[in-house]
Short mmCIF file of all heavy atoms in Angstrom, two decimals:
data_model
loop_
_atom_site.label_atom_id
_atom_site.label_comp_id
_atom_site.label_asym_id
_atom_site.label_seq_id
_atom_site.Cartn_x
_atom_site.Cartn_y
_atom_site.Cartn_z
N ALA A 2 80.98 -5.36 92.99
CA ALA A 2 82.23 -5.86 92.38
C ALA A 2 82.54 -7.30 92.80
O ALA A 2 83.20 -8.02 92.08
CB ALA A 2 83.39 -4.95 92.72
N THR A 3 82.05 -7.72 93.98
CA THR A 3 82.34 -9.06 94.45
C THR A 3 81.34 -10.08 93.91
O THR A 3 81.55 -11.27 94.09
CB THR A 3 82.30 -9.09 96.00
OG1 THR A 3 80.98 -8.75 96.43
CG2 THR A 3 83.31 -8.13 96.58
N LYS A 4 80.31 -9.62 93.27
CA LYS A 4 79.28 -10.54 92.76
C LYS A 4 79.58 -10.90 91.30
O LYS A 4 80.13 -10.09 90.54
CB LYS A 4 77.90 -9.91 92.87
CG LYS A 4 77.44 -9.63 94.28
CD LYS A 4 76.03 -9.07 94.31
CE LYS A 4 75.55 -8.80 95.70
NZ LYS A 4 74.18 -8.23 95.73
N ILE A 5 79.15 -12.09 90.89
CA ILE A 5 79.28 -12.48 89.50
C ILE A 5 78.18 -11.78 88.70
O ILE A 5 77.00 -11.94 89.01
CB ILE A 5 79.11 -14.01 89.34
CG1 ILE A 5 80.07 -14.77 90.24
CG2 ILE A 5 79.30 -14.41 87.87
CD1 ILE A 5 79.80 -16.27 90.28
N PRO A 6 78.52 -11.02 87.66
CA PRO A 6 77.47 -10.39 86.84
C PRO A 6 76.82 -11.41 85.91
O PRO A 6 77.51 -12.24 85.27
CB PRO A 6 78.26 -9.32 86.04
CG PRO A 6 79.66 -9.82 86.02
CD PRO A 6 79.87 -10.63 87.26
N VAL A 7 75.51 -11.38 85.86
CA VAL A 7 74.73 -12.33 85.05
C VAL A 7 73.93 -11.54 84.01
O VAL A 7 73.22 -10.61 84.34
CB VAL A 7 73.77 -13.15 85.92
CG1 VAL A 7 72.96 -14.10 85.06
CG2 VAL A 7 74.55 -13.93 87.01
N THR A 8 74.07 -11.93 82.76
CA THR A 8 73.29 -11.33 81.68
C THR A 8 72.24 -12.32 81.23
O THR A 8 72.56 -13.45 80.87
CB THR A 8 74.21 -10.95 80.49
OG1 THR A 8 75.23 -10.05 80.93
CG2 THR A 8 73.41 -10.32 79.38
N VAL A 9 70.99 -11.89 81.26
CA VAL A 9 69.87 -12.73 80.82
C VAL A 9 69.51 -12.35 79.37
O VAL A 9 69.19 -11.18 79.13
CB VAL A 9 68.64 -12.56 81.75
CG1 VAL A 9 67.46 -13.36 81.22
CG2 VAL A 9 69.00 -12.99 83.17
N ILE A 10 69.59 -13.31 78.47
CA ILE A 10 69.24 -13.09 77.08
C ILE A 10 67.87 -13.70 76.84
O ILE A 10 67.70 -14.93 76.95
CB ILE A 10 70.25 -13.74 76.11
CG1 ILE A 10 71.68 -13.34 76.48
CG2 ILE A 10 69.93 -13.38 74.66
CD1 ILE A 10 72.04 -11.92 76.21
N THR A 11 66.90 -12.87 76.54
CA THR A 11 65.54 -13.35 76.30
C THR A 11 65.11 -12.93 74.91
O THR A 11 65.77 -12.16 74.24
CB THR A 11 64.57 -12.80 77.39
OG1 THR A 11 63.28 -13.40 77.22
CG2 THR A 11 64.43 -11.29 77.28
N GLY A 12 63.97 -13.42 74.47
CA GLY A 12 63.48 -13.14 73.13
C GLY A 12 62.71 -14.31 72.60
O GLY A 12 62.90 -15.45 73.04
N PHE A 13 61.83 -14.04 71.64
CA PHE A 13 60.94 -15.09 71.19
C PHE A 13 61.67 -16.15 70.38
O PHE A 13 62.82 -15.98 69.99
CB PHE A 13 59.78 -14.48 70.39
CG PHE A 13 58.62 -15.41 70.23
CD1 PHE A 13 57.89 -15.80 71.33
CD2 PHE A 13 58.31 -15.93 68.99
CE1 PHE A 13 56.83 -16.69 71.21
CE2 PHE A 13 57.25 -16.85 68.87
CZ PHE A 13 56.51 -17.21 69.98
N LEU A 14 60.98 -17.24 70.11
CA LEU A 14 61.51 -18.36 69.36
C LEU A 14 62.12 -17.91 68.03
O LEU A 14 61.45 -17.24 67.25
CB LEU A 14 60.39 -19.37 69.08
CG LEU A 14 59.71 -19.98 70.31
CD1 LEU A 14 58.37 -20.58 69.92
CD2 LEU A 14 60.59 -21.03 70.93
N GLY A 15 63.37 -18.29 67.79
CA GLY A 15 64.01 -17.99 66.51
C GLY A 15 64.46 -16.58 66.35
O GLY A 15 64.85 -16.18 65.23
N SER A 16 64.52 -15.79 67.40
CA SER A 16 64.94 -14.38 67.28
C SER A 16 66.43 -14.25 67.06
O SER A 16 66.90 -13.24 66.54
CB SER A 16 64.51 -13.59 68.52
OG SER A 16 65.06 -14.15 69.70
N GLY A 17 67.22 -15.26 67.44
CA GLY A 17 68.66 -15.21 67.23
C GLY A 17 69.48 -15.16 68.51
O GLY A 17 70.64 -14.75 68.48
N LYS A 18 68.92 -15.64 69.60
CA LYS A 18 69.63 -15.62 70.89
C LYS A 18 70.91 -16.45 70.86
O LYS A 18 71.96 -16.03 71.33
CB LYS A 18 68.71 -16.08 72.02
CG LYS A 18 67.45 -15.27 72.20
CD LYS A 18 66.63 -15.72 73.40
CE LYS A 18 66.11 -17.13 73.26
NZ LYS A 18 65.15 -17.30 72.13
N THR A 19 70.79 -17.68 70.31
CA THR A 19 71.94 -18.57 70.29
C THR A 19 73.05 -18.02 69.42
O THR A 19 74.25 -18.10 69.77
CB THR A 19 71.51 -19.96 69.79
OG1 THR A 19 70.47 -20.46 70.64
CG2 THR A 19 72.71 -20.94 69.84
N SER A 20 72.72 -17.44 68.27
CA SER A 20 73.73 -16.84 67.41
C SER A 20 74.44 -15.68 68.13
O SER A 20 75.66 -15.51 67.99
CB SER A 20 73.09 -16.31 66.11
OG SER A 20 72.52 -17.37 65.36
N LEU A 21 73.66 -14.89 68.89
CA LEU A 21 74.24 -13.77 69.63
C LEU A 21 75.27 -14.28 70.67
O LEU A 21 76.39 -13.76 70.77
CB LEU A 21 73.13 -13.02 70.35
CG LEU A 21 73.56 -11.81 71.20
CD1 LEU A 21 73.92 -10.63 70.32
CD2 LEU A 21 72.43 -11.42 72.19
N ILE A 22 74.90 -15.32 71.40
CA ILE A 22 75.80 -15.86 72.41
C ILE A 22 76.99 -16.55 71.80
O ILE A 22 78.12 -16.44 72.29
CB ILE A 22 75.04 -16.81 73.37
CG1 ILE A 22 73.92 -16.03 74.10
CG2 ILE A 22 75.97 -17.44 74.38
CD1 ILE A 22 72.97 -16.90 74.91
N ARG A 23 76.77 -17.25 70.72
CA ARG A 23 77.87 -17.92 70.03
C ARG A 23 78.91 -16.90 69.58
O ARG A 23 80.12 -17.12 69.76
CB ARG A 23 77.32 -18.68 68.81
CG ARG A 23 78.31 -19.56 68.07
CD ARG A 23 77.60 -20.26 66.94
NE ARG A 23 78.52 -20.88 66.01
CZ ARG A 23 78.89 -22.16 66.04
NH1 ARG A 23 78.38 -22.95 66.96
NH2 ARG A 23 79.72 -22.65 65.14
N HIS A 24 78.47 -15.76 69.04
CA HIS A 24 79.38 -14.71 68.62
C HIS A 24 80.10 -14.11 69.83
O HIS A 24 81.29 -13.80 69.78
CB HIS A 24 78.63 -13.64 67.87
CG HIS A 24 79.52 -12.56 67.31
ND1 HIS A 24 79.77 -11.37 67.97
CD2 HIS A 24 80.24 -12.50 66.16
CE1 HIS A 24 80.60 -10.63 67.24
NE2 HIS A 24 80.90 -11.28 66.15
N LEU A 25 79.37 -13.96 70.93
CA LEU A 25 79.98 -13.43 72.17
C LEU A 25 81.09 -14.36 72.67
O LEU A 25 82.17 -13.90 73.05
CB LEU A 25 78.90 -13.28 73.25
CG LEU A 25 79.37 -12.87 74.65
CD1 LEU A 25 80.02 -11.51 74.61
CD2 LEU A 25 78.21 -12.86 75.64
N LEU A 26 80.85 -15.67 72.63
CA LEU A 26 81.87 -16.60 73.07
C LEU A 26 83.10 -16.60 72.18
O LEU A 26 84.25 -16.68 72.64
CB LEU A 26 81.28 -18.02 73.12
CG LEU A 26 80.21 -18.32 74.19
CD1 LEU A 26 79.67 -19.73 74.02
CD2 LEU A 26 80.77 -18.11 75.59
N GLN A 27 82.87 -16.46 70.87
CA GLN A 27 83.99 -16.45 69.93
C GLN A 27 84.76 -15.15 69.97
O GLN A 27 85.90 -15.07 69.47
CB GLN A 27 83.46 -16.70 68.52
CG GLN A 27 82.92 -18.09 68.31
CD GLN A 27 82.20 -18.28 66.99
OE1 GLN A 27 81.66 -17.31 66.43
NE2 GLN A 27 82.23 -19.47 66.46
N ASN A 28 84.19 -14.10 70.60
CA ASN A 28 84.85 -12.80 70.70
C ASN A 28 84.83 -12.34 72.16
O ASN A 28 84.48 -11.19 72.45
CB ASN A 28 84.14 -11.78 69.79
CG ASN A 28 84.18 -12.17 68.33
OD1 ASN A 28 85.11 -11.85 67.60
ND2 ASN A 28 83.13 -12.88 67.89
N ASN A 29 85.23 -13.23 73.06
CA ASN A 29 85.06 -12.96 74.48
C ASN A 29 86.08 -12.00 75.05
O ASN A 29 85.98 -11.60 76.22
CB ASN A 29 85.12 -14.28 75.27
CG ASN A 29 86.40 -15.05 75.04
OD1 ASN A 29 87.48 -14.51 75.09
ND2 ASN A 29 86.26 -16.35 74.75
N GLN A 30 87.11 -11.63 74.27
CA GLN A 30 88.14 -10.65 74.72
C GLN A 30 88.76 -11.06 76.04
O GLN A 30 89.04 -10.22 76.92
CB GLN A 30 87.52 -9.25 74.80
CG GLN A 30 86.99 -8.76 73.46
CD GLN A 30 86.30 -7.42 73.54
OE1 GLN A 30 86.01 -6.92 74.62
NE2 GLN A 30 85.99 -6.83 72.39
N GLY A 31 88.98 -12.36 76.23
CA GLY A 31 89.63 -12.87 77.42
C GLY A 31 88.72 -13.13 78.59
O GLY A 31 89.19 -13.64 79.63
N ARG A 32 87.44 -12.82 78.48
CA ARG A 32 86.53 -13.07 79.59
C ARG A 32 86.20 -14.56 79.68
O ARG A 32 86.04 -15.26 78.66
CB ARG A 32 85.20 -12.32 79.34
CG ARG A 32 85.33 -10.81 79.33
CD ARG A 32 83.95 -10.20 79.08
NE ARG A 32 84.00 -8.75 79.02
CZ ARG A 32 84.23 -8.04 77.90
NH1 ARG A 32 84.47 -8.70 76.76
NH2 ARG A 32 84.23 -6.73 77.92
N ARG A 33 86.09 -15.05 80.92
CA ARG A 33 85.72 -16.43 81.16
C ARG A 33 84.19 -16.45 81.37
O ARG A 33 83.72 -16.07 82.44
CB ARG A 33 86.48 -17.00 82.36
CG ARG A 33 87.98 -17.00 82.17
CD ARG A 33 88.71 -17.26 83.47
NE ARG A 33 88.43 -16.22 84.46
CZ ARG A 33 88.85 -16.25 85.72
NH1 ARG A 33 89.59 -17.28 86.16
NH2 ARG A 33 88.55 -15.28 86.56
N ILE A 34 83.49 -16.88 80.34
CA ILE A 34 82.04 -16.78 80.34
C ILE A 34 81.40 -18.15 80.52
O ILE A 34 81.69 -19.07 79.76
CB ILE A 34 81.52 -16.15 79.01
CG1 ILE A 34 82.15 -14.77 78.78
CG2 ILE A 34 80.01 -16.02 79.01
CD1 ILE A 34 81.85 -14.16 77.43
N ALA A 35 80.54 -18.28 81.51
CA ALA A 35 79.75 -19.48 81.70
C ALA A 35 78.37 -19.23 81.07
O ALA A 35 77.83 -18.13 81.18
CB ALA A 35 79.59 -19.83 83.16
#
Side-chain angles (χ1 to χ4, degrees):
T3 62
K4 297 182 179 180
I5 306 171
V7 178
T8 302
V9 176
I10 309 290
T11 187
F13 197 67
L14 300 161
S16 58
K18 300 184 297 295
T19 303
S20 296
L21 179 76
I22 297 173
R23 187 179 168 97
H24 185 265
L25 174 62
L26 291 176
Q27 292 171 332
N28 300 272
N29 57 47
Q30 299 175 349
R32 297 179 181 89
R33 299 167 299 174
I34 303 173

